[in-house]
Amino acid sequence: MDHDTAARTTLIRSASDAGSRVFETILTRSPISRIDIARQTGLSQAAVTKAVAPLVAAGLVDAPPASQRDGTPGRPVSPVSIVLEAMVMIGVKVNVDEIIAVATDLATAVLASERRALESDDPHTVIEAILEVVAALELALGASASAIAGVGVAVSGDVDSSTGIVRESNIMGWADVPLGDLLQQHLPWPVTLENDVHALTIGEHWFGVGLGTASFAIVTIGRGIGSGLHLNGEVVTGAYGVAGEIGHLPLADPALVCPCGRRGCVEAAASTGAIEAAVSAALGRTVTIDEAVALAHAGDPDADAAFREAARLIGTAIATLVNLTGPELVIIGGEGVSDFDLFEKTLHDAFEAHAFGAAARCRILTRPHTFEDWARGASAAAIQSLVR
């Protein structure tokens, strides 16, 4: 981290509450006039001007001379914008078989990306792979690497971001792994560890569909069934870092054992692994998820039944989530969205059957997420950690 980046980091971290609110507003809504910043934050225009000045001096915010008016008498509008390249963040998505990493600007636009296959899910093997991709990104960035200000790492499971501990990750086979501290020992920048779906939610909240939306939820379909919640303007983490885990609602057949060790979880019947297992058992041979999709599209009754049961459970789980928290929008993402036509009708029918009253007005839309998008979410989590 060079002198300019260190000084910018110190400025952001030491900002007053008003200064942090102003910077966050510019970051997520750039370009924006000082008048609109005041409206968004509830601060006076004088307080906004005071907060913007050091950001401009540090090269974090660009404030060109006022050149337009907002249609009302008075001072010209002077829009300010975040200087996107002022800082670079690295985001890392940990999968059971691969590490995906990106270097991004302050709006999570990808500047460079790297991937590494994992030979093992052993934490030390994963750490070595993360260090390798980070080093590769530094090399790819060239002179811009001096602007790196933080690293975000996203992992599936019960993640305590405040302590940097992966308390439980069924997919990785981990329990109480201090991944954040282990990485921090090797990296010169602050490391932020976050649950992968929560990180994706942060990214959508600040830079995606959720911007300007008071409440929304993300539900991901794939190797696991995950969920992130954004309510009343904030991403919900819960008192212990666990919130919105609809994949572990006990809605499925109690005879089914979930990878988490509990019985009857939605994930035990609706994840890609569960669908593979159901179709394989019905046909008496090993079936991959790609073959299960092809069989369902061809009208195979066993494959069709597996996808319909998964869709019914996910739709019911989403209705439960919406009944409890009342979001205006649910975004369905994850790798399973590419085959959403197999889920769509049954999922919507189950949602409508169980959504209570006005909760049924909640919109459901699909938004495909690549693993690079998940890594961008990790970068967004690092940016949020810096700002807050």
Side-chain angles (χ1 to χ4, degrees):
M1 188 185 299
D2 70 2
H3 174 75
D4 287 344
T5 305
R8 290 164 181 163
T9 300
T10 299
L11 174 64
I12 295 170
R13 289 194 178 279
S14 63
S16 65
D17 176 64
S20 294
R21 286 156 60 194
V22 167
F23 181 68
E24 181 177 328
T25 302
I26 299 170
L27 177 66
T28 57
R29 298 174 185 274
S30 177
I32 184 171
S33 70
R34 290 174 174 82
I35 294 171
D36 286 333
I37 296 171
R39 289 170 181 157
Q40 290 287 336
T41 61
L43 298 169
S44 68
Q45 289 189 47
V48 169
T49 298
K50 181 180 178 181
V52 167
L55 298 173
V56 173
L60 284 162
V61 168
D62 182 38
S67 60
Q68 58 178 319
R69 297 181 181 273
D70 63 358
T72 60
R75 293 179 298 179
V77 175
S78 180
V80 296
S81 304
I82 201 76
V83 178
L84 295 174
E85 67 276 12
M87 287 181 163
V88 173
M89 291 292 176
I90 291 176
V92 180
K93 172 68 169 80
V94 177
N95 285 339
V96 70
D97 56 357
E98 187 179 30
I99 299 292
I100 301 96
V102 296
T104 78
D105 65 17
L106 282 174
T108 70
V110 175
L111 306 174
S113 62
E114 291 286 338
R115 303 171 85 108
R116 289 289 187 281
L118 283 175
E119 298 177 358
S120 163
D121 57 15
D122 174 75
H124 293 289
T125 301
V126 173
I127 288 168
E128 288 178 9
I130 292 174
L131 296 177
E132 285 179 11
V133 295
V134 170
L137 287 173
E138 278 192 272
L139 187 62
L141 288 168
S144 297
S146 63
I148 296 173
V151 178
V153 180
V155 184
S156 172
D158 179 357
V159 176
D160 186 342
S161 57
S162 64
T163 61
I165 294 174
V166 181
R167 290 187 292 222
E168 182 180 353
S169 176
N170 304 315
I171 288 175
M172 299 302 298
W174 292 354
D176 297 321
V177 175
L179 187 65
D181 283 347
L182 292 172
L183 284 170
Q184 194 65 79
Q185 292 172 19
H186 298 282
L187 294 171
W189 314 284
V191 174
T192 300
L193 185 67
E194 186 58 88
N195 167 272
D196 56 355
V197 185
H198 287 180
L200 193 65
T201 308
I202 292 168
E204 292 288 1
H205 165 38
W206 273 19
F207 307 110
V209 171
L211 182 60
T213 303
S215 60
F216 71 92
I218 290 181
V219 172
T220 57
I221 303 172
R223 291 172 178 167
I225 306 298
S227 177
L229 286 169
H230 170 268
L231 301 176
N232 301 321
E234 297 293 337
V235 175
V236 178
T237 58
Y240 305 104
V242 179
E245 289 287 350
I246 69 168
H248 299 286
L249 290 174
L251 301 175
D253 184 345
L256 295 175
V257 179
C258 182
C260 75
R262 299 164 184 84
R263 291 183 175 273
C265 295
V266 170
E267 196 168 297
S271 67
T272 55
I275 292 170
E276 287 175 337
V279 180
S280 296
L283 298 182
R285 60 181 177 83
T286 301
V287 175
T288 66
I289 190 61
D290 289 339
E291 186 181 359
V293 168
L295 287 168
H297 280 138
D300 180 88
D302 294 313
D304 181 66
F307 278 100
R308 280 192 290 105
E309 176 63 2
R312 182 187 69 80
L313 288 168
I314 295 170
T316 304
I318 292 174
T320 303
L321 179 73
V322 170
N323 287 343
L324 287 170
T325 62
E328 60 189 273
L329 172 69
V330 173
I331 304 162
I332 300 180
E335 60 266 34
V337 169
S338 60
D339 308 304
F340 192 67
D341 60 306
L342 296 172
F343 294 89
E344 189 166 13
K345 184 179 185 307
T346 303
L347 186 153
H348 279 277
D349 287 347
F351 172 76
E352 291 170 4
H354 295 285
F356 177 74
R361 293 162 57 187
C362 174
R363 293 181 295 126
I364 297 177
L365 61 84
T366 58
R367 182 175 169 84
H369 291 105
T370 66
F371 282 123
E372 194 171 270
D373 290 325
W374 291 81
R376 289 178 60 232
S379 176
I383 294 170
Q384 186 185 75
S385 178
L386 172 68
V387 175
R388 294 185 175 181

